[in-house]
Amino acid sequence: MIAIRRSMAGLGITLAVLAPGCATEAYEGRLLWIDGWRKATVVAIGTGDGMARELALDCRATFPAAAPNARYVTVSYRNGGHRIRRTVPWIGNSAIGIGDRVYVNVSDCAKPAERVATRNS
């Protein structure tokens, strides 16, 4: 019983030391993990109503009316060991392709997804 308590205490201390690292991680030196930014991979690209129907629920409130030429990307990212897919608007003129790495804000759809700029990020 004492050994279990010591193990649990050790685990708690380890987690307390490691957890702040995740919370303060910044991609590209400015996109904070704690603010909702996640590194993702583009798995689908599309325009118009078909893709708009796939929007994440919180994005539908932010972008209620889809323009016929509106561009969307579906991205895949890890969350607690699980793969999550999320469709968000792709704002901007830069080309994007399936397999490209991007940053997506899972907390705020009004913040546009951004292409990963550096190899080490």
Side-chain angles (χ1 to χ4, degrees):
M1 190 67 158
I2 292 174
I4 293 172
R5 285 186 185 156
R6 286 185 182 157
S7 294
M8 295 301 284
L11 177 62
I13 290 169
T14 301
L15 289 174
V17 169
L18 295 176
C22 291
T24 58
E25 183 177 358
Y27 301 110
E28 307 287 338
R30 61 187 171 77
L31 305 171
L32 297 176
W33 186 91
I34 198 166
D35 290 340
W37 291 99
R38 303 294 184 270
K39 190 184 291 186
T41 303
V42 175
V43 295
I45 303 167
T47 59
D49 289 339
M51 285 293 282
R53 284 192 284 275
E54 300 297 321
L55 276 175
L57 291 177
D58 57 328
C59 292
R60 290 181 195 170
T62 305
F63 300 96
N69 60 348
R71 296 188 310 162
Y72 301 94
V73 294
T74 300
V75 298
S76 174
Y77 65 95
R78 283 203 160 303
N79 185 22
H82 300 281
R83 277 271 168 214
I84 307 291
R85 286 184 176 226
R86 181 177 177 85
T87 299
V88 297
W90 180 256
I91 300 170
N93 295 324
S94 63
I96 189 76
I98 292 176
D100 286 354
R101 301 287 284 162
V102 297
Y103 298 111
V104 62
N105 192 304
V106 299
S107 301
D108 186 353
C109 274
K111 294 181 179 170
E114 296 186 26
R115 181 184 300 279
V116 171
T118 60
R119 287 190 180 271
N120 297 330
S121 292

